[in-house]
Amino acid sequence: MKNRQIASFNVSAIGLGCMNLSHAYGAPVSAEQGERVLLAAFDHGVNFFDTAALYGFGANETLVGKVLKPHRQKFTLASKCGMQGVEQSDGTKVRVIDGRPETIKKTCEDALRRLQTDVIDLYYLHRWDKKVPIEDSVGALSDLVRQGKIQAIGLSEVSAGTLRKAHAVHPIAAVQTEYSLWTRNPEIAVLQACRELGAAFVAFSPVARGFLCGPLDITGFDAKDIRRSMPRFAPENHAANLKLLPGYNALAQEAGCSPSQLALAWLLHKGDDIIPIPGTTSVDHLLDDLGAVDVQLDASLISRVEALINQNTVSGDRYNAQANSEVDTEVFA
């Protein structure tokens, strides 16, 4: 495994997004399967694991903490606050965005307990709560740094302007945003802002929520699969997007790699400061993803794959109106 840098942390060039094991794409896998995936990643050189309070309403942090505790000194641990589950009067939990300083500090205490650790290496504000000045939320995170409960601060799904305001309060070590061939929004402004400020860029959903892994049966999505609400997976848009795959798969074959590896290798070639964090519930898929670190792409192939799949050739927005209202990321006109 090759390595890249986030603040003082030397991390694997490809990390593991742990969300899939507990959240968002249907029923969670068994604890045993989750353990297999986490340990397989660790055994194959992954030393950057990404979780959040939201994922499974704490279940994902609990799983990561239990499985990886014996190896705690050998990997960089990232988690997130500011978006979590809140219990209702009937006992159910609903997702809320809450960036108030007191909520951030309580969420961190809960995360430390679930993760079975004394310190979180990289702690992100999962979403900017637009009712709270970003300076106040980052101020709370900077208090946690001073208290030794977290080591570095990250932001997720923010604009370049919000990043700069946050960075004026405390150095921002990383920005995490969706980035893949079919989601190019970071290229508008925030990726350049990260480079100017010395923040790493962590790319989630780097294989386009599974679209670039191969044909998906959208009719078979679980009732709770978040892709059901995403416009790109609506039947008409999905049918249009499927027409991109034959050409894309041909380029992967030309590069001598799998479709998933091409998507990840493209990101790795976009800059040494970019760390993709694919997620999976399958050890086989995990190992295929990790093979992307050895894929070499020439300028011609990069140009052709970018021309094939980009914001102008993909049908549908990445989020629905509700989800779009919750992020601060720049959008294409």
Side-chain angles (χ1 to χ4, degrees):
M1 177 59 69
K2 298 177 175 65
N3 292 293
R4 296 192 166 187
Q5 204 72 23
I6 299 178
S8 62
F9 304 109
N10 194 31
V11 303
S12 48
I14 297 176
L16 181 67
C18 302
M19 179 184 77
N20 304 44
L21 302 175
S22 310
H23 186 84
Y25 293 116
V29 300
S30 67
E32 294 76 16
Q33 180 61 16
E35 180 175 4
R36 277 192 285 271
V37 172
L38 290 169
L39 291 180
F42 182 78
D43 289 342
H44 286 82
V46 173
N47 71 350
F48 182 44
F49 293 85
D50 181 277
T51 180
L54 177 70
Y55 303 159
F57 297 141
N60 197 249
E61 287 182 327
T62 299
L63 173 67
V64 170
K66 178 182 178 182
V67 173
L68 295 179
K69 181 181 180 180
H71 311 288
R72 182 63 190 92
Q73 301 306 312
K74 298 178 180 178
F75 69 91
T76 298
L77 175 62
S79 193
K80 308 180 198 72
C81 63
M83 184 161 64
Q84 57 273 327
V86 172
E87 191 165 333
Q88 305 298 288
S89 58
D90 62 0
T92 60
K93 287 188 175 182
V94 296
R95 188 197 67 156
V96 299
I97 296 175
D98 186 348
R100 293 175 296 170
E102 60 269 29
T103 302
I104 286 172
K105 292 176 179 180
K106 181 183 185 303
T107 305
C108 182
E109 295 292 344
D110 293 340
L112 290 168
R113 185 183 67 254
R114 289 190 292 258
L115 291 163
Q116 300 188 47
T117 187
D118 296 326
V119 61
I120 298 169
D121 300 316
L122 175 60
Y123 205 41
Y124 293 96
L125 186 66
H126 204 159
R127 289 290 186 275
W128 172 36
D129 181 351
K130 298 175 184 177
K131 301 183 299 296
V132 178
I134 188 66
E135 294 89 345
D136 292 356
S137 296
V138 173
L141 290 167
S142 68
D143 288 343
L144 293 172
V145 173
R146 284 189 288 272
Q147 294 165 11
K149 294 177 180 178
I150 69 176
Q151 293 201 62
I153 297 173
L155 301 175
S156 179
E157 292 279 20
V158 296
S159 65
T162 300
L163 169 60
R164 294 183 192 283
K165 290 179 182 179
H167 191 80
V169 175
H170 189 281
I172 302 300
V175 170
Q176 180 177 144
T177 292
E178 182 175 357
Y179 189 24
S180 68
L181 280 162
W182 84 345
T183 297
R184 309 285 276 279
N185 303 60
E187 297 173 3
I188 300 172
V190 77
L191 184 56
Q192 180 58 36
C194 284
R195 288 170 174 162
E196 292 172 10
L197 299 174
F201 191 93
V202 177
F204 76 78
S205 297
V207 292
R209 301 189 183 274
F211 178 78
L212 295 177
C213 299
L216 291 171
D217 177 13
I218 61 173
T219 63
F221 284 168
D222 184 89
K224 294 185 177 181
D225 192 312
I226 60 173
R227 292 172 293 186
R228 283 185 171 272
S229 68
M230 293 179 172
R232 288 177 183 173
F233 293 99
E236 184 175 335
N237 288 331
H238 184 62
N241 291 330
L242 283 176
K243 296 176 183 177
L244 300 171
L245 285 182
Y248 177 75
N249 292 337
L251 289 172
Q253 187 174 15
E254 181 181 334
C257 66
S258 70
S260 299
Q261 288 173 345
L262 176 57
L264 292 165
W266 174 79
L267 275 168
L268 293 173
H269 280 71
K270 294 300 286 184
D272 291 340
D273 53 346
I274 297 174
I275 300 99
I277 51 167
T280 183
T281 60
S282 161
V283 172
D284 286 343
H285 289 168
L286 167 72
L287 299 184
D288 181 64
D289 287 345
L290 299 184
V293 297
D294 295 320
V295 175
Q296 297 298 314
L297 304 178
D298 62 37
S300 170
L301 196 143
I302 290 173
S303 177
R304 283 179 286 149
V305 75
E306 289 180 345
L308 177 67
I309 301 180
N310 59 64
Q311 70 275 8
N312 297 316
T313 63
V314 170
S315 297
D317 201 353
R318 69 182 182 116
Y319 284 146
N320 62 20
Q322 173 62 33
N324 273 328
S325 73
E326 295 174 347
V327 300
D328 180 50
T329 318
E330 289 93 354
V331 296
F332 290 101

